[in-house]
């Protein structure tokens, strides 16, 4: 097994690192405080090819591999997880699904502008009562002949306010249960489609999260993805890939916190020496370093298996489960190492700690990941 990155992957990693420091760092605290969407930065990410990294260039993408995607997400998340999650959703939950399952006409109309970063997309599965349970969709799409009539509410939708195109899951035939679910491409501005107020969140405050409200929205038949009843399989396939994106975001948050804690420990003095020379601090940093490396390997493994066309339900869930826990543990320790300074915004680690928590929740909670993993190992 080759653990060495290719020259191209190293270049992508460096490009993402440079962008994060030159374009994201300066205003990240202010955007977090004011809950300002990083519109200008996201536009530049599109120009650099980060918004459709794995999409075929003929559809406006960069045509890169999944390892490159993990590398870029980690570097961006070290500095600004809010900007990184915009990229993650657009890549993993929107573009990946459209490229794999849409017909050519849909790809030309919707995938091209999404992959090029001309517009951004959103994935609408979660609901007030169902959460991320794709089998329990209360949102309905009634077949009216030449169109569907969409009614319902979606919750916790990342990019909800700023997206142009939305992939929406809805129940068409409840008697068929999960086989009666469909996935649709819905456009902003359609009559009957509104967005709710922006959520006031603990972390990733720069990204916009809101509810979507559908009241008799007419969705053309040609905007259904796949055959009738394909929606559940579509959602499961997309979520598997999405977990790699969230794992990579968690990895980046942890890495960013560790780097800040290490730098602080090397310069901050206590009892006559730099605090890194105190065993209590040195051991914390050692544990953080080992955990981050292990999380990184799980992310790489899941990404490599995705590129190989393997079933990534287990590896993706493992990466997300472990990396999100590492992000939470590492950021807490980073605040502790900083002491009182860690509790104020200027030193960044308190924001990273707040950002870390969401990685244990979205794309399925840690408990859901354990269900996925346990089901997988029970079949072996």
């Amino acid at each position: 097994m080759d653990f060495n990155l290719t020259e191209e992957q190293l270049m992508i990693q460096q490009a993402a690192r440079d962008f994060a420091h030159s374009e994201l760092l300066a205003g990240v605290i202010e955007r977090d405080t004011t809950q300002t969407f990083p519109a200008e930065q996201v536009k530049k990410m599109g120009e650099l090819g980060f918004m459709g990294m794995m999409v075929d260039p003929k559809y406006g993408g960069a045509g890169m591999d999944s390892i490159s995607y993990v590398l870029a997400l980690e570097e961006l998340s070290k500095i600004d997880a809010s900007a990184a999650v915009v990229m993650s959703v657009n890549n993993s939950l929107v573009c990946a699904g459209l490229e794999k399952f849409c017909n050519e006409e849909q790809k030309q109309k919707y995938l091209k502008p999404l992959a090029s970063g001309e517009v951004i997309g959103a994935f609408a599965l979660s609901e007030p009562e169902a959460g991320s349970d794709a089998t329990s969709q209360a949102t309905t799409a009634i077949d009216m002949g030449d169109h569907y009539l969409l009614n319902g509410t979606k919750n916790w939708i990342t990019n909800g306010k700023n997206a142009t195109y939305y992939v929406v899951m809805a129940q068409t035939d409840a008697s068929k249960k999960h086989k009666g679910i469909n996935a649709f491409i819905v456009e902003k501005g359609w009559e009957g489609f509104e967005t709710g107020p922006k959520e006031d969140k603990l972390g990733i405050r720069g990204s916009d999260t809101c509810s979507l409200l559908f009241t008799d929205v007419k969705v053309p038949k040609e905007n259904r993805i796949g055959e009738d009843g394909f929606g559940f399989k579509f959602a499961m396939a997309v979520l598997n890939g999405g977990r790699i994106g969230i794992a990579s975001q968690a990895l980046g948050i942890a890495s960013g916190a560790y780097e800040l804690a290490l730098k602080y420990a090397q310069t901050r003095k206590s009892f006559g020496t730099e605090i890194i020379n105190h065993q209590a601090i040195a051991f914390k940093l050692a544990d953080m370093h080992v955990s981050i490396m292990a999380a990184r390997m799980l992310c790489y493994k899941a990404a490599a298996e995705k590129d190989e066309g393997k079933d990534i339900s287990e590896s993706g869930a493992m990466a997300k489960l472990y990396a999100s826990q590492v992000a939470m543990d590492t950021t807490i320790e980073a605040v502790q190492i900083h002491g009182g300074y860690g509790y104020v915004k200027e030193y960044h680690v308190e924001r990273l700690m707040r950002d870390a928590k969401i990685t244990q929740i979205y794309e399925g909670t840690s408990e859901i990941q354990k269900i996925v993993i346990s089901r997988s190992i029970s079949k072996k």
Side-chain angles (χ1 to χ4, degrees), residues 19 31 125 249 298 342:
F19 177 84
R31 289 193 300 274
L125 171 65
Q249 184 183 349
L298 283 172

Side-chain angles (χ1 to χ4, degrees), residues 109-110 146-148 184-185 187 190 217-224:
K109 184 175 182 179
Y110 296 112
D146 64 340
H147 67 275
Y148 289 90
F184 303 93
I185 303 172
E187 298 182 21
W190 281 357
V217 178
K218 291 183 178 180
V219 181
K221 272 286 178 69
E222 58 265 27
N223 279 46
R224 186 187 71 203

Side-chain angles (χ1 to χ4, degrees), residues 298-344:
L298 283 172
C299 289
Y300 288 1
K301 182 178 187 294
E305 289 186 351
K306 182 178 182 292
D307 286 339
E308 293 167 4
K310 294 181 179 179
D311 179 2
I312 58 169
S313 55
E314 180 183 337
S315 60
M318 288 172 62
K320 182 190 179 298
L321 174 67
Y322 187 71
S324 63
Q325 186 61 56
V326 169
M328 200 69 250
D329 294 344
T330 299
T331 53
I332 289 173
E333 291 288 37
V335 171
Q336 191 71 18
I337 289 172
H338 278 77
Y341 291 107
Y343 211 64
V344 297

Side-chain angles (χ1 to χ4, degrees), residues 18 41 88 98 107 112 116 136 139 145 153 156 226 231 245 285 301 306 312 327 332:
D18 291 344
Q41 291 79 9
S88 176
L98 298 191
K107 291 178 183 179
K112 273 191 170 182
S116 66
S136 302
T139 299
T153 301
W156 317 115
L285 290 165
K301 182 178 187 294
K306 182 178 182 292
I312 58 169
I332 289 173

